[in-house]
Amino acid sequence: MPGGPPGRGCEGCRKRKKKCDLGQPSCSRCLRYGIRCVGSGEKVYRFKNATITESAPVARTTRPRGQASQSLVRPPERPLGNELTRTAGAFISILGISDRQFAVQGFGPFLTDVPRRLGKSPILNASAKAFSSAVTAVFSKQTIVQALTDYGAALTCMRNALIADPSLTTKIETLCGVYLLMLSHNFTSGNDDDCLIHVQGLLYILNNQSMQGQNDPFTSQMIDLASIILITESVIDPRVKMKSWHSEMKKTNYYGPLNDYSVVDIRSTNLTVANLIDLPAYLEEPENHLVHLRSSYELMKLESKKLVPATIQLNAACEASNDFQYYKGYVICESSVCVLHSLMAVLRRTLQVFHPLDSALQEDAEEAANQILAAATRAWTFRPLGTTYVPKTLCLTWATTDDHYIKSRLEDMIDHYREDFRGDPWTKLAMFFEQRFEKLRRRVQSKLPHHIRQDTTSPGSTNAESEIISETADYP
C-alpha cells in the first residue's frame, strides 16, 4: 500500500537521519560534503506489502460516537444458474412432495428420470416447467395465472419446435412432454373437451416412436403408460380414434400395479397393451365381436375381485403408516381398480344392448356401482391429485346404471367431488356417456342382421330375449 515519510528532505539527509534545510539547488549539508543533493523539497512515496487476515470482505459503517463499531459481513453472491437449472430444481421439488393429496410419483415411475433429461429437448423443458407450475398452483391453492402462462408458453414452444424440426416427433422426450402437458391441463382445467387435443397428440407422437429403444427403462415405461392411456381413452370416449398402431406394440412390457410391499404383491394382467389393444376395434363393430367382448369382460371381472382386496389392504397400510411408498402404491392400485371398472362399464353396457334381459349383467352393474362408491370413499383423503381418475369413473358408472336409487347415491358422491371436475359440469360428461349407448342401441335395433340376432343370447339371458330382439330389430 502507498505511504510516505513525514518530511521532504533529500536522500542524503534521510539516510543520515538528519534534518534537511531544503536548500536549492543543494542543501547546506550536501554542499558541505560535496555530494549531489537529490529529492530536496519533494515528497517521496513508498509501498508496503499488506497482509489480508479476514476470510471475507467486510463493509464498515460509521456509528454514532459512543457506540462500538461493528463489521457487517456481506452475504455471498447468488449462485450461478439459468432457466434450465431453475426448471430442474422446481421439478425435483415437486417430486419431493410427500403429502398424499399432492404426491405426483403415482403418475408414472419414469418421472424421477425427467430432471436428468432436461436440456435434451426444448419441448420437455417447457412442459416440465408447466407441470411444476400446475402442481404448485394446486398445492398452494392460489391463483393459477402463472400456471396458465407456463402452460401456454409450453404449447407455443412445442408448436414452434415441431415446425422447425419435424424429427422431434420420434423423440421419447417429446412423448413425455405431451404427457406432462396433458397432466398440467387436467390439474388446472379438469377433464374437458380441450383435453382431447392432448390425447390425440399423444397418439400421434406415440405412433412415431421407434420400438428400438425398449431396453431403456425410461422409454419402455413411458411407451407402456401412454399406450394404456390411449387404449382406455379410446374405449371410454369414441371421439378418440385409434386408426394405426405399431405392429410391435403388442410386445411392449406389461404395465400394472406391481408392488414389493409386504401388504400386497400383485400385477395387473388385463391392463396391458397386448390384452387391450384390440378392444377399440371390437367396439367399432360390436355385433361382430360379441364373444371377444364377453371374454374380456369376464376376465376383467375376475381380476377386479383380486385387485380390490389388495387395494383395501394398501389403504389400511396408508392409514397406519406415513410411508410414502404405501401412498404411491395405493394410488396406483386404486387407479387400476377405477380403470378396470370404467372399461367393464363400457363392455357391460355394450353387451346389454344385445342382451337387455341378461340378469347377470344387471347384477354386475349394481355390484360395480357399490365398488366404485367404496373406492371413492377410500380415496377421499387423497384428493385432489391422488384422485384424478375418480370423477370420470363415477360419471361413467352413473351413465351405465338403470337403478334410480344407485344413480342418486352416485350423484351424491359426484357432488362431493364437484371441485375436482374443474372444467365442464359432471352432467355434461355423464349425459355424453349415456347418449353414446343410446345411439348404439338404436343402431343395433335398426341395422342388426337377422342371422346375428339369433346368435346374441348370452349365458345369463333367456329364449324370450332373443325373440324380443328378433321382433324389434327391424323397426327403428
Side-chain angles (χ1 to χ4, degrees):
M1 59 179 291
R8 297 175 179 267
C10 66
E11 290 282 351
C13 293
R14 284 199 299 270
K15 289 181 178 180
R16 291 172 174 81
K17 298 181 180 180
K18 300 295 183 177
K19 184 177 180 179
C20 182
D21 60 5
L22 304 179
Q24 296 292 335
S26 175
C27 68
S28 58
R29 186 177 297 278
C30 292
L31 184 63
R32 188 171 59 252
Y33 284 95
I35 59 176
R36 184 181 177 184
C37 185
V38 178
S40 177
E42 298 179 0
K43 188 172 184 178
V44 180
Y45 292 91
R46 60 189 177 190
F47 291 86
K48 300 178 180 179
N49 293 327
T51 302
I52 300 177
T53 59
E54 295 177 344
S55 59
V58 295
R60 302 192 179 275
T61 180
T62 59
R63 296 283 178 178
R65 182 173 297 179
Q67 293 185 6
S69 61
Q70 297 179 356
S71 62
L72 301 178
V73 179
R74 187 172 62 187
E77 295 183 0
R78 189 175 181 178
L80 296 177
N82 52 31
E83 185 68 20
L84 182 60
T85 57
R86 287 191 290 271
T87 300
F91 199 94
I92 293 173
S93 298
I94 294 301
L95 293 177
I97 296 177
S98 58
D99 190 331
R100 65 168 68 183
Q101 294 179 286
F102 305 98
V104 299
Q105 293 193 26
F107 290 99
F110 51 84
L111 290 179
T112 55
D113 289 334
V114 169
R116 72 185 65 178
R117 289 180 175 264
L118 294 177
K120 295 183 178 181
S121 167
I123 296 176
L124 183 59
N125 297 346
S127 300
K129 182 179 180 180
F131 177 78
S132 301
S133 297
V135 176
T136 301
V138 178
F139 180 78
S140 61
K141 298 181 181 180
Q142 296 177 353
T143 177
I144 61 174
V145 173
Q146 185 61 47
L148 294 178
T149 300
D150 292 338
Y151 173 78
L155 288 178
T156 302
C157 175
M158 179 177 296
R159 180 186 60 196
N160 295 338
L162 292 177
I163 291 176
D165 186 5
S167 66
L168 290 177
T169 58
T170 63
K171 304 297 183 181
I172 193 64
E173 288 79 13
T174 303
L175 183 67
C176 183
V178 176
Y179 175 65
L180 293 179
L181 281 184
M182 184 177 68
L183 291 178
S184 303
H185 181 277
N186 187 273
F187 293 163
T188 56
S189 303
N191 197 352
D192 55 17
D193 291 342
D194 292 338
C195 194
L196 287 175
I197 299 176
H198 296 298
V199 176
Q200 296 289 1
L202 203 64
L203 177 60
Y204 178 80
I205 300 298
L206 181 63
N207 275 322
N208 283 277
Q209 294 298 306
S210 172
M211 298 293 105
Q212 303 298 324
Q214 285 290 309
N215 293 330
D216 175 24
F218 180 88
T219 301
S220 62
Q221 292 170 359
M222 183 71 248
I223 290 179
D224 286 346
L225 181 57
S227 302
I228 294 296
I229 291 174
L230 291 172
I231 293 175
T232 54
E233 286 295 324
S234 62
V235 170
I236 296 171
D237 192 342
R239 293 173 296 181
V240 180
K241 301 294 184 182
M242 296 173 51
K243 297 181 179 180
S244 62
W245 281 86
H246 277 299
S247 58
E248 302 94 342
M249 190 62 72
K250 289 187 177 182
K251 301 178 182 179
T252 56
N253 298 331
Y254 277 54
Y255 173 79
L258 176 63
N259 301 286
D260 298 326
Y261 319 128
S262 58
V263 292
V264 61
D265 183 10
I266 188 171
R267 179 190 290 270
S268 174
T269 56
N270 280 278
L271 295 182
T272 63
V273 177
N275 289 339
L276 296 179
I277 195 169
D278 293 324
L279 277 183
Y282 291 163
L283 291 170
E284 288 285 337
E285 298 178 341
E287 60 271 19
N288 298 328
H289 304 283
L290 291 176
V291 175
H292 292 92
L293 293 176
R294 187 74 187 217
S295 176
S296 297
Y297 173 76
E298 295 295 337
L299 289 175
M300 290 180 186
K301 188 168 67 172
L302 288 174
E303 183 168 81
S304 174
K305 293 180 179 180
K306 298 178 181 179
L307 189 56
V308 169
T311 305
I312 294 174
Q313 285 183 296
L314 266 177
N315 181 261
C318 291
E319 298 301 325
S321 172
N322 293 325
D323 190 346
F324 176 71
Q325 296 300 325
Y326 286 125
Y327 296 167
K328 184 171 65 174
Y330 167 73
V331 170
I332 294 174
C333 283
E334 196 74 90
S335 64
S336 300
V337 170
C338 286
V339 170
L340 271 177
H341 276 283
S342 296
L343 296 174
M344 289 165 57
V346 174
L347 297 179
R348 181 173 59 251
R349 199 60 167 180
T350 302
L351 293 171
Q352 285 180 316
V353 170
F354 296 91
H355 315 306
L357 301 181
D358 190 334
S359 59
L361 293 176
Q362 294 176 2
E363 294 175 1
D364 289 347
E366 181 178 351
E367 182 181 357
N370 291 329
Q371 289 189 5
I372 291 303
L373 287 169
T377 302
R378 287 193 301 268
W380 178 255
T381 58
F382 289 80
R383 297 172 54 252
L385 299 189
T387 58
T388 54
Y389 47 84
V390 173
K392 181 182 288 188
T393 306
L394 287 170
C395 291
L396 188 56
T397 306
W398 181 92
T400 56
T401 302
D402 295 323
D403 190 291
H404 294 290
Y405 173 68
I406 294 179
K407 278 184 176 290
S408 64
R409 292 177 59 198
L410 288 168
E411 290 173 5
D412 291 340
M413 184 61 71
I414 290 173
D415 189 63
H416 283 84
Y417 278 86
R418 187 178 299 275
E419 294 182 1
D420 296 335
F421 283 89
R422 290 186 292 275
D424 296 332
W426 74 267
T427 52
K428 179 178 179 180
L429 183 62
M431 293 303 296
F432 168 78
F433 290 140
E434 195 171 49
Q435 292 171 3
R436 168 190 177 179
F437 297 111
E438 179 63 20
K439 185 184 299 184
L440 173 63
R441 186 185 65 81
R442 293 179 179 178
R443 182 173 69 84
V444 169
Q445 288 182 348
S446 61
K447 298 182 179 181
L448 188 63
H450 178 74
H451 69 280
I452 294 182
R453 293 202 303 267
Q454 295 177 334
D455 297 331
T456 56
T457 57
S458 65
S461 63
T462 63
N463 292 333
E465 176 183 347
S466 59
E467 295 176 1
I468 293 175
I469 296 178
S470 177
E471 292 175 359
T472 59
D474 294 331
Y475 299 95

